[in-house]
Amino acid sequence: MQPARPYRPKVSRETRLLLTAAAVAIAVLWLLARVRFQGLPDAPNPIPAVFSQLGSPPRYDDLAGQVAQIQSRLQPSLLGLHPPAPFPSSVAIKLRDDFVIAHLAPDVPPGSRKDVTVLAHDSASGLAVASSMAAAAMSLPLPWTPRRLQQPRYFFATRVNADSVSLYPVFVGSLTPIETPLWPDQVWTAPPGTPLVPGTLLFTTDAELAGLVVALDGEAMIVPITLVLAEAERLLSVPPGSGGFAGVEVQALTPPIAALTQAGAGVVVTAVDAAGPGDGQLRVGDVIESVGGVTLPTVQHWRVRVARLSAGETLALRVRRGGEVREVELVAAPSPTPASPLLGLALRASPTAGAEVMRVDRGSAADRAGLVVGDVITLIADVQAPSPAAVVRAFNLTNEGQRVLIAVTRGNAHFVAALAR
């Protein structure tokens, strides 16, 4: 007796023909596609992408390792600058030869930097070109070519340490181009809350130099490195000159004042220095509509123009007063130089008592010591009833990092304090 054969369902002839035709059609379509689109790469397999999404996100250690790697590459290209307190530190990078560029606070005294010699300084933007012995060993990293500014990205920002410059990551959600009178071309702003520190440099994650962080009206912005380099070269080509003084303070033109003065644009004069070139030519309430034929749309435009004045330079103003328009020419006077910017005091002699405080600059040594207007310095070091010149001289003779003792009379009270250099 023969064993029973396993049951095998029969496939009909029609089904076999249908399957064969489908296989032939698929093969023909594949051949046609390869002939028609032979220049295109094969479609990627979607499965690995799905698996990668299911995997763990990049760890902080990975980002920290990338920072450390790029920092070691860029370290020879960076130079930390350390001005005296309370001025912030900044970072310099090589321009060419032995020149470096950096962002310096406008009120930092040029002679206070022992690590570089400032050759040119734009007091409006803060950009400075300096010479440094260390620049010979430095190299300029490749500049970044910006693409897709709205794309979120990480930058590596510089931080000045005691004896080196380090990097740390900064996430920037987007970059928005804007116009500003400080720079001849567009700069970038980041979303509010982005931790950008003026005076720092920004690098991409590929170690390309992206730009310089500066401040405008308290807001941080990024100047593209190509614009920074172009402005630095322009500063070097401008002959050095002493700063000019206009002695005029202004505010924005509001709609009520515009209606009252019939002015369509400009800035409103709020104060005129009696010792300045505007005395007798301008008065409070005047509207300065233009400078050199260029309309003043904002207060910032006026401040930038005045910050870049040179002594002896003429400002041709179009001024509106009481509905009438007049042309005024101001010749900039030399900027008044305080006896010691780091001391931060304006003083006058108080007979038999000492030196009376007339002004205290914010953040200065005098401000940190707690001096206020009206105080009388009756002793500094071992000088009794010092004159204003004696106060300045005693402070200047103090070495950096040291203090000098002062005695102060405030009304009927007497106390001592220390001026730290």
Side-chain angles (χ1 to χ4, degrees):
M1 183 176 177
Q2 295 181 352
R5 295 180 179 177
Y7 174 73
R8 295 180 180 176
K10 293 184 178 181
V11 180
S12 64
R13 182 171 178 273
E14 291 79 4
T15 301
R16 291 197 300 270
L17 291 175
L18 181 61
L19 292 174
T20 302
V24 171
I26 291 174
V28 171
L29 288 175
W30 181 83
L31 289 174
L32 289 175
R34 295 301 297 173
V35 172
R36 177 65 180 83
F37 304 106
Q38 56 183 331
L40 295 179
D42 294 335
N45 186 353
I47 296 179
V50 174
F51 285 149
S52 64
Q53 295 178 18
L54 296 177
S56 60
R59 297 177 303 170
Y60 180 80
D61 290 345
D62 299 333
L63 184 59
Q66 188 176 11
V67 171
Q69 180 182 10
I70 291 182
Q71 180 172 313
S72 64
R73 292 170 53 188
L74 295 176
Q75 192 70 44
S77 304
L78 304 174
L79 174 65
L81 304 181
H82 302 275
F87 302 109
S89 298
S90 55
V91 180
I93 195 163
K94 187 172 183 178
L95 172 63
R96 57 180 171 83
D97 302 329
D98 62 343
F99 296 159
V100 296
I101 52 178
H103 181 267
L104 305 182
D107 48 356
V108 174
S112 67
R113 293 185 177 272
K114 299 180 177 58
D115 36 20
V116 296
T117 301
V118 177
L119 304 175
H121 185 205
D122 183 355
S123 56
S125 67
L127 183 65
V129 182
S131 64
S132 171
M133 295 296 293
M138 299 170 65
S139 60
L140 181 65
L142 292 175
W144 179 50
T145 301
R147 295 177 294 272
R148 298 187 298 276
L149 294 179
Q150 295 300 317
Q151 173 182 323
R153 53 173 51 88
Y154 272 102
F155 286 111
F156 294 151
T158 55
R159 176 186 287 123
V160 179
N161 305 317
D163 56 355
S164 63
V165 178
S166 60
L167 299 178
Y168 64 95
V170 175
F171 177 76
V172 178
S174 63
L175 295 173
T176 303
I178 66 167
E179 303 283 348
T180 168
L182 282 173
W183 301 91
D185 206 345
Q186 289 183 332
V187 299
W188 305 321
T189 60
T194 305
L196 297 175
V197 180
T200 60
L201 296 169
L202 293 183
F203 294 87
T204 68
T205 53
D206 294 325
E208 297 172 322
L209 182 52
L212 172 69
V213 181
V214 300
L216 175 63
D217 293 336
E219 297 294 330
M221 63 179 62
I222 304 170
V223 184
I225 191 58
T226 52
L227 181 54
V228 171
L229 296 176
E231 280 297 282
E233 293 285 0
R234 183 192 65 80
L235 281 177
L236 282 177
S237 66
V238 176
S242 59
F245 174 63
V248 179
E249 297 183 17
V250 301
Q251 71 175 36
L253 180 65
T254 61
I257 297 179
L260 182 65
T261 59
Q262 302 176 12
V267 295
V268 184
V269 176
T270 59
V272 179
D273 195 310
D279 185 42
Q281 300 199 68
L282 295 174
R283 67 186 187 192
V284 175
D286 286 349
V287 178
I288 304 176
E289 295 185 327
S290 66
V291 178
V294 179
T295 302
L296 293 172
T298 67
V299 173
Q300 185 64 34
H301 286 76
W302 167 263
R303 291 174 179 167
V304 170
R305 183 66 183 87
V306 170
R308 291 173 175 163
L309 268 181
S310 297
E313 184 179 353
T314 299
L315 286 177
L317 309 180
R318 185 173 187 267
V319 179
R320 185 177 293 272
R321 178 186 298 172
E324 297 182 357
V325 177
R326 52 198 298 261
E327 302 296 328
V328 174
E329 288 191 352
L330 299 184
V331 179
S335 297
T337 304
S340 172
L342 294 177
L343 175 59
L345 279 179
L347 301 166
R348 72 176 179 185
S350 179
T352 71
E356 182 181 355
V357 176
M358 304 301 297
R359 188 190 74 247
V360 180
D361 296 337
R362 181 175 299 178
S364 64
D367 186 31
R368 299 194 304 275
L371 296 181
V372 299
V373 174
D375 286 350
V376 177
I377 300 176
T378 59
L379 171 75
I380 183 166
D382 56 354
V383 180
Q384 296 279 353
S387 65
V391 172
V392 173
R393 183 167 55 251
F395 180 80
N396 288 340
L397 290 175
T398 305
N399 294 327
E400 185 175 346
Q402 295 183 345
R403 293 175 171 83
V404 59
L405 184 70
I406 60 174
V408 180
T409 297
R410 180 178 298 167
N412 295 323
H414 306 275
F415 62 94
V416 295
L419 292 174
R421 185 166 176 98

